[in-house]
Amino acid sequence: MLTPIAIAADHGGFELKQALIEALDARGYQTHDFGTKTNDPVDYPDYIRDVCRAVSKSWHGILICGTGIGMSIAANRFHGIRAALCHDTETARLSRQHNNANVLCLGGRVLTAEQAIEIVTVWLTTEFSGEERHQRRLDKIE
């Protein structure tokens, strides 16, 4: 069974969120949309808490704002969250392999839907390496 995915966006990421949900659902993932439900202006911090709570239950999380920067800054304030802002498949792969990222942050105004789908696919299918040097660094963060 595929890990459930909690996903949320502000108005800057709304269109990309909708495209990702459609693509992920078509691939058999169980997505849970925590908002926003329109492209009307909203405050991105209002959508992070529910995604981070879901991730604490061993879900994956995806957060999208205009650039992904605000979402990543805010999400990393939550205990146990390792949110990574990724703009390509290489950073997505490394965020999982080396950093065991559990939240992926994306920029709705800097990525096309096709780019984002590729990034998400790599991120979801890459496992943490578990290498001692990477785990040691994560332990220091905690």
Side-chain angles (χ1 to χ4, degrees):
M1 180 166 167
L2 300 171
T3 302
I5 301 168
I7 188 168
D10 70 358
H11 56 283
F14 173 76
E15 298 295 332
L16 185 57
K17 176 180 67 89
Q18 297 305 107
L20 287 174
I21 289 172
E22 184 177 317
L24 290 167
D25 287 350
R27 293 177 178 174
Y29 286 94
Q30 181 183 8
T31 57
H32 297 270
D33 184 355
F34 289 98
T36 187
K37 304 294 184 183
T38 71
N39 58 6
D40 295 334
V42 296
D43 296 334
Y44 65 85
D46 296 340
Y47 297 91
I48 296 170
R49 180 173 287 113
D50 290 336
V51 169
C52 290
R53 283 184 182 151
V55 169
S56 72
K57 298 175 187 175
S58 298
W59 292 21
H60 290 301
I62 300 173
L63 293 168
I64 311 161
C65 63
T67 62
I69 296 169
M71 286 290 202
S72 64
I73 291 169
N76 278 312
R77 296 185 56 96
F78 287 83
H79 179 74
I81 297 299
R82 291 174 307 281
L85 172 59
C86 298
H87 291 297
D88 55 46
T89 56
E90 182 66 5
T91 54
R93 183 181 64 77
L94 292 172
S95 78
R96 292 286 298 132
Q97 274 185 344
H98 294 185
N99 307 110
N100 201 15
N102 52 15
V103 174
L104 174 63
C105 297
L106 301 169
R109 294 183 179 139
V110 297
L111 295 170
T112 66
E114 294 77 20
Q115 290 170 319
I117 291 166
E118 285 183 42
I119 292 167
V120 169
T121 300
V122 168
W123 191 79
L124 289 172
T125 58
T126 302
E127 296 292 327
F128 177 53
S129 73
E131 291 179 33
E132 186 276 331
R133 65 188 172 120
H134 297 305
Q135 185 59 57
R136 181 181 68 243
R137 293 167 188 156
L138 292 175
D139 292 342
K140 289 181 178 184
I141 293 170
E142 285 298 316

